[in-house]
Structure formats: structure tokens, C-alpha cells
Amino acid sequence: MNAYEPIESLRQELTQKGVKYAIASYVDIHGAIKGKFVPMAHLDRMMGGSELYTGAALDGVPQDINDDEVAAMPDAATATPCSWNRELAWFASDLYLNGKPFEACSRHILKRQLAAAADLGFAFNLGIETEFFLFKDTADGGFAPISDRDTLEKPCYDPRLLMDNLPIVNEIVEAMNEQGWDVYSFDHEDANGQFETDFMYTDALGMADRLVFFRMMANEIARKHGAFASFMPKPFADRTGSGAHYNMSLADLDSGKNLFEPHGDDPHDCGVSPLAYHFIAGVLKHARAICAVIAPTVNSYKRLVQRGAMSGSTWAPVFCCYGNNNRTNMLRIPSQGGRVECRAPDISGNPYLGAALMLAAGLEGIREKLNPGLPHRENMNDYSLAEVKAMGIEMLPRTLGEAIDAFEADPLAKQVFGDLMFDSFVEFKRSEWEQYHNLVSDWEIKRYLKMF
């Protein structure tokens, strides 16, 4: 069989399903999908990298306008017909420059860390919980939950509100299952207009591909129903925000066995193996730098607070610590054990970059056999900040500016991102923070305009 035959077979398969155009897709610094549409007659050219892009036209694809274009090299295994428009098929792609992997490609950055894990005999499995909002535009130019009765102070798990939104949510779930993602539950979450879908974990690269595709898919399906999906971490000041909890484990590369499962030696009785505790210690060591990537917007830090929701809690962590089935820690070990959940990520992040830095930190913990200390089973929010400091527990950054400072100061961040993406990320996010501070908010006008 020559190299052309598998592509021709794929072309025929997609054409039989009604696909007319393939999307050679990749992501910018935000994890937002970019790409071109290619007629199926030219699929072979697209798979060979025919689609070129000027990186300078995009956020965080660090190129100057005089640089050679980057090429999208699609991954044939990711071919996904788009349920909302059967004429389209999406392909996740790696960026190449002059025939070589582009250093600052988000997907390549994750692949490099997966290769580092493989060198140690590990595969990295990841599950990401997708929380998001469904809204409708309002006549006054604002937005609101789709259901007029979605006004409860504690709407979490209310089946009536889920039923009101079921035409959209059901279509999203059916699309996920059509792609083999195996949705095992979905619900109305703790904020008005907020929903969550939970589906089976997979390898980290596949999960990152799914997350970026999910955001596009959910929005396109919502638009069909006259609504829109929002992945802003916290659109309401007095409601909870949308997380994207990372559920992580390492598996034996050959057998697939979960190496985080306890096997008789669980020094802290939390339900994971000694290897997992080393992984946890590595993540905690670099937690503040990681936060810049998994909570990457100004708005992200409105979510990472102890209070600020009508239900009494934001359900988001502020402490760099771990424990058992305790949602006040950054790292939680669910009661089923065998995995580690990081609760700090929000739904606006670039999952390739977030997973890469998280994995690198965990692998460092394993290589150096770091000790995470004792787990915290108590409600961490009951402690004063002075008590937390006395225990030697760091706080997660309070602002994007603080997070970028931590990211820039951590040598692991540059090692993982590479010079080009590291510099671009710091410059872009620092500019975002400064632009935010140049704005004068309504709060400031109300508080200071007539103060004296």
C-alpha cells in the first residue's frame, strides 16, 4: 500500500458521509480553533501540509509579518464529521515551519512532554470536565439564561432547569456520543444558565483535541437554537464560575495499567500510589506558575476566590495543597481513588499548554521523589490567611498579573514552552493585564467620582 491509499480511503469514507469540506485546524494561544476549509477533492494535499498560515495575523503564534508561513499538518486519526453541519469534517493539526515542527505550536508543546513521560515508561491519561454557560441575547444588549425560571439562588442539579435547556444540551450530548466520547452524566450546575457534561477520559493529547473541539461544537449547536455558549470563567460576580477540572493519572506505557491506583502502600491513606504522591508534590511545587496557564484570563481570578457566590462558595480553590475528597484543596483525590483532580483550571484555558505544564511538573516530582507533605481533609476555608501561611501553604495567585510573574520566574515554564512560546505568552498576557488596568470601570465611577 502506498502513502496515498490511506488518504484516498479516508476521503471516500468522509465523502460517503456527505462531507464536502475538511478543516485543517490548529489553535492560537487561547486554544481557540483556527483553520481553512479544503474541498474533499484536495484532501491529499491538505494532509501533506498544503494549508499555510501567517502566524503574525493570530494571537500567540509568534511570527513577524516577514517570516515564512506555518503549515498545518492534520492528524488523520482526529477526522471528525461536524454534527451541526454534515458537510464539514474537522482535523486537529500540528504546525510546521519549513518542514520541521514549529517550536511554538501548542500541540507540539504537549507532545514533547508526552514523549518525556514515555521515556520514563508512562502514558498520561486525562479527563476534563466541561462546565459552560448557555445564554440568550436580551433586548437591552445584555444576556440572560435561556429559561425564564432559571433564577434560583441555588439552581444546582435542578432537573426542571435542565429540561428547559434540553433541546440544546441533548444535541450537544448526542454529538459527543456520536464521536465516541461516552458521556456518562450531565446536569445544571451551580450558577444560573450553567451546565456540565462529564465524559470518559482518554490520552492527554486526545482529551485536549476534544476540549477545543467541544467549545466550537457547543457554540455552533447553541446558535442553531438562537442562543450562544459562553466559556467565560465567571460572567456573574455573585455566581460560581466555570471550571475545567483536570482528572489525571499515569499508566504503564506497555500494559496500560493505572499507576496511580493504590497497591498496598498508601502512606497517606488517600487512595493513590506513592508515584501519585510524587506527582502531586511536583504540581504543588509549580502550582503558582501553572495557574497562569490553566487560569489564563483577567476574569479567571474572579473565580479563584473563597466567597462570591449566592450558594455560599465558589467551589474553586485558592490554596496550593492537596487532600482526599475535599474540594477546598487545589488537588483533590476523589473517593474512588486512582486519579488526581486539579480544581484550578477553568474552561477558558488552552488545554495543550495546561496539560503540558501540569505533566512536566508532575514528572519532576517523580524524578526527584518529592514529598507533598500531609493531606488536608479539613475545610481549608475555615483557616485565616495567617494560619495558612504558618502551615507553609502558598496561595494561588490573586490576579493574572501575579500569575504571570510566577510563570516568568519559574524555570520549568520556559523549559516546557520553549523560548519562543514562553516569551510570547508572557508578553501577551502581561499586555492583557495592563490593558485591563487602563480601563475605568463602573465600580470606580460610582465609588470615586463624587467622593470628595
Side-chain angles (χ1 to χ4, degrees), residues 373-384:
L374 296 175
H376 290 272
R377 293 176 167 85
E378 69 276 34
N379 186 341
M380 296 298 296
N381 292 326
D382 289 341
Y383 290 119
S384 68

Side-chain angles (χ1 to χ4, degrees), residues 67-368:
D67 287 338
D68 290 342
E69 295 96 335
V70 290
M73 296 291 288
D75 182 343
T78 66
T80 306
C82 298
S83 65
W84 64 92
N85 184 340
R86 299 291 178 179
E87 295 184 344
L88 303 176
W90 174 85
F91 289 76
S93 305
D94 298 315
L95 292 179
Y96 276 65
L97 178 63
N98 298 324
K100 298 179 180 178
F102 181 50
E103 175 195 337
C105 169
S106 295
R107 207 165 184 263
H108 275 313
I109 289 170
L110 175 54
K111 280 185 168 183
R112 291 199 293 265
Q113 291 309 309
L114 294 174
D119 287 342
L120 297 174
F122 304 140
F124 184 38
N125 287 326
L126 179 63
I128 299 181
E129 302 168 32
T130 50
E131 295 181 351
F132 60 100
F133 287 88
L134 290 174
F135 291 135
K136 61 184 177 183
D137 294 308
T138 56
D140 61 359
F143 61 91
I146 294 167
S147 171
D148 291 335
R149 60 177 174 172
D150 197 346
T151 58
L152 300 176
E153 290 187 3
K154 289 192 175 185
C156 199
Y157 309 135
D158 193 315
R160 299 168 302 169
L161 306 182
L162 183 57
M163 286 187 285
D164 287 352
N165 291 269
L166 200 55
I168 300 176
V169 179
N170 174 65
E171 189 169 342
I172 291 171
V173 170
E174 286 185 342
M176 296 168 75
N177 281 333
E178 179 182 316
Q179 293 147 21
W181 296 7
D182 192 11
V183 177
Y184 55 83
S185 72
F186 56 97
D187 62 79
H188 190 293
E189 275 294 300
D190 196 41
N192 305 111
Q194 187 185 36
F195 301 88
E196 178 179 329
T197 61
D198 295 318
F199 55 104
M200 288 300 292
Y201 70 89
T202 186
D203 64 282
L205 185 65
M207 182 55 63
D209 289 340
R210 290 178 181 185
L211 191 280
V212 299
F213 182 80
F214 175 86
R215 290 188 295 214
M216 179 175 72
M217 175 183 68
N219 225 330
E220 292 306 309
I221 290 174
R223 285 172 58 83
K224 285 177 54 180
H225 294 266
F228 66 93
S230 176
F231 303 96
M232 182 178 182
K234 194 170 183 183
F236 299 120
D238 61 347
R239 295 292 189 270
T240 54
S242 289
H245 303 153
Y246 283 20
N247 291 273
M248 304 173 288
S249 63
L250 294 179
D252 181 87
L253 195 60
D254 296 323
S255 69
K257 179 183 177 182
N258 182 357
L259 299 177
F260 279 10
E261 288 280 0
H263 44 75
D265 184 14
D266 183 352
H268 300 302
D269 195 28
C270 285
V272 289
S273 66
L275 186 79
Y277 288 113
H278 295 320
F279 186 96
I280 287 169
V283 172
L284 292 178
K285 177 181 175 181
H286 297 281
R288 288 174 57 80
I290 292 171
C291 203
V293 186
I294 59 176
T297 72
V298 169
N299 184 252
S300 297
Y301 296 86
K302 309 295 176 69
R303 170 180 169 265
L304 295 177
V305 295
Q306 291 175 268
R307 298 288 184 264
M310 294 292 288
S311 65
S313 174
T314 65
W315 303 102
V318 296
F319 307 108
C320 301
C321 54
Y322 84 101
N324 61 334
N325 197 30
N326 177 0
R327 289 171 172 81
T328 63
N329 293 301
M330 177 190 179
L331 297 179
R332 164 181 170 255
I333 300 171
S335 55
Q336 301 91 340
R339 60 186 165 101
V340 175
E341 177 190 82
C342 182
R343 300 183 57 77
D346 67 52
I347 198 64
S348 71
N350 180 327
Y352 301 106
L353 299 181
L357 191 53
M358 192 87 71
L359 174 58
L363 292 179
E364 181 182 299
I366 290 170
R367 290 190 190 99
E368 299 181 6

